[in-house]
Amino acid sequence: MKVGIINVTGYAGMELARILHRHPEVEIAAVTGRSAAGRRLAEMFPHLESCDMEITPEITESVDFVFSALPHAASAEKLEPFIEQGVKAVDISADFRLKNLDDYSYWYKIDHPCPQYMETAVYGLPELHRDEIAQTSLVGNPGCYPSAAVLALAPAVAAGIIEPDVVVDAKSGVSGAGRGGSVDLNFSEVNENFKAYALDGHRHHPEIIQELGSMDGDDDLRLTFLTHLVPMTRGILVSCYAPIKDGAIPDGEAGRERVREIYEDYYAGEPFTKAVSAPPQTKHTSGNNDCVVYPTIDLRANRLMAIACLDNLVKGAAGSGVQNMNVMCGFDETAGLEQLALYP
């Protein structure tokens, strides 16, 4: 199958090239880059020498599948001709994640360029929407933070054991901000430093509300979502908290055991999301497509604590995109993604 990558020069785009290069069903037919057009991929990124090709301004070759790793708004505009032609597509940006156009306009400060596709696009979290993804030709890849937060909380929401009052305390490596660069992301600014940001609201907030709220039909889900920048390249860790509903699980250690059973049953058979028996670390998922989730109960406060880790560039972006492609095209869902974590 011939695949095109729009904007290979961003972190997500180059990660797509790295993963797709070893995919048994895929040939990378075209890669684009706005500022690097006319240059060779290996010249720009020597680690991609094995899949060297010319970076072009547009995809002119015939392709069977396309990924877009452009920023929001620009991504939808570039994908529109492919969508019209019936080419299957995964958008790595935020353009096709939210069902509510008012939410999109509020959080992204722009009117959606292709609103006619919002209702038919599927939110690309296979653990929740595998059947719909298999039937669609357009997937909006989840944000990195929502991927971790939703997977951390979905089993508890589905089981109805928590109150709709959730705190998500999230930390990300610097690559989550992309390659655009700003003073705040310079080495001397982030090294030996740790800070909270977007205290007035992060753009990934409505995704978490949309996905968790749709699971239990509760329009009153209250979410406090706080993000932090950690001085490391890759990785996301989210710590999620919610009160346990009265009588939903047994008291004491039996309650902890019941929560572990709920999570293990929910993710049984999932190729990449795993409920584990010890708190995870970001290095446990570095470079691979896993999301590792650890649930427990704070017995003193009767509160769920669910911790999840993933690589923001793999399960949080490019790897999830390839997983969605596999589901959309009927390939083995793990194709191209069977990679152990890099450790240490």
Side-chain angles (χ1 to χ4, degrees):
M1 183 176 75
K2 292 187 176 182
V3 172
I5 302 172
I6 300 172
N7 195 32
V8 75
T9 55
Y11 287 140
M14 68 178 75
E15 195 76 343
L16 278 166
R18 182 183 73 86
I19 294 170
L20 291 171
H21 172 65
R22 63 181 182 190
H23 195 293
E25 306 288 346
V26 162
E27 172 194 345
I28 303 175
V31 295
T32 77
R34 292 174 293 184
S35 61
R39 301 179 70 179
R40 304 293 297 182
L41 193 58
E43 176 189 355
M44 292 291 296
F45 309 112
H47 73 289
L48 296 177
E49 184 174 4
S50 296
C51 50
D52 188 28
M53 57 197 308
E54 183 180 350
I55 302 170
T56 59
E58 305 287 344
I59 294 177
T60 57
E61 294 84 351
S62 175
V63 294
D64 305 298
F65 200 101
V66 64
F67 292 91
S68 176
L70 283 168
H72 66 275
S75 190
E77 291 176 349
K78 286 293 184 182
L79 281 175
E80 185 173 16
F82 296 98
I83 298 169
E84 287 292 319
Q85 296 165 25
V87 176
K88 292 184 177 183
V90 168
D91 179 27
I92 305 293
S93 86
D95 282 342
F96 297 105
R97 296 172 185 167
L98 298 178
K99 295 300 182 183
N100 188 308
L101 286 169
D102 291 336
D103 283 345
Y104 179 89
S105 298
Y106 174 83
W107 287 97
Y108 291 93
K109 312 304 180 188
I110 190 171
D111 289 335
H112 199 286
C114 303
Q116 66 271 31
Y117 304 120
M118 294 288 276
E119 284 301 317
T120 56
V122 175
Y123 190 78
L125 200 58
E127 291 82 356
L128 271 62
H129 301 296
R130 185 171 284 108
D131 291 343
E132 300 99 308
I133 293 167
Q135 299 299 318
T136 192
S137 59
L138 176 61
V139 161
N141 221 53
C144 50
Y145 280 130
S147 293
V150 172
L151 291 172
L153 291 164
V157 173
I161 65 170
I162 58 174
E163 299 286 354
D165 187 4
V166 174
V167 175
V168 176
D169 181 26
K171 290 95 173 172
S172 174
V174 181
S175 63
R179 294 189 75 221
S182 69
V183 170
D184 288 345
L185 301 176
N186 287 347
F187 175 82
S188 56
E189 300 289 332
V190 300
N191 185 48
E192 297 186 27
N193 197 15
F194 181 47
K195 68 176 183 179
Y197 68 98
L199 273 72
D200 290 330
H202 192 284
R203 289 171 171 175
H204 288 173
H205 186 282
E207 283 183 60
I208 302 172
I209 292 283
Q210 171 182 283
E211 294 305 302
L212 294 180
S214 66
M215 291 184 69
D216 63 0
D218 193 335
D219 294 332
D220 297 323
L221 177 66
R222 296 181 300 279
L223 171 66
T224 298
F225 174 44
L226 182 59
T227 54
H228 303 77
L229 189 67
V230 181
M232 62 186 186
T233 301
R234 292 173 179 256
I236 280 179
L237 185 146
V238 296
S239 301
C240 305
Y241 314 103
I244 298 291
K245 287 182 179 178
D246 289 341
I249 60 172
D251 294 333
E253 288 297 332
R256 281 180 172 163
E257 182 59 33
R258 177 61 187 136
V259 166
R260 282 193 290 269
E261 290 173 356
I262 288 170
Y263 274 73
E264 288 169 359
D265 290 347
Y266 193 89
Y267 289 125
E270 285 294 339
F272 297 112
T273 300
K274 305 164 184 177
V276 295
S277 58
Q281 304 170 30
T282 54
K283 282 192 175 183
H284 295 169
T285 59
S286 181
N288 72 16
N289 198 52
D290 287 350
C291 179
V292 182
V293 183
Y294 173 73
T296 189
I297 301 293
D298 179 346
L299 297 178
R300 289 170 293 275
N302 196 34
R303 194 183 307 274
L304 173 75
M305 299 191 297
I307 302 165
C309 288
L310 54 77
D311 186 319
N312 56 291
L313 295 180
V314 189
K315 183 62 171 169
S320 178
V322 174
Q323 185 180 355
N324 281 313
M325 179 195 72
N326 289 340
V327 175
M328 295 167 76
C329 297
F331 301 147
D332 184 327
E333 192 168 333
T334 65
L337 295 167
E338 295 179 299
Q339 175 67 48
L340 297 177
L342 301 171
Y343 191 92

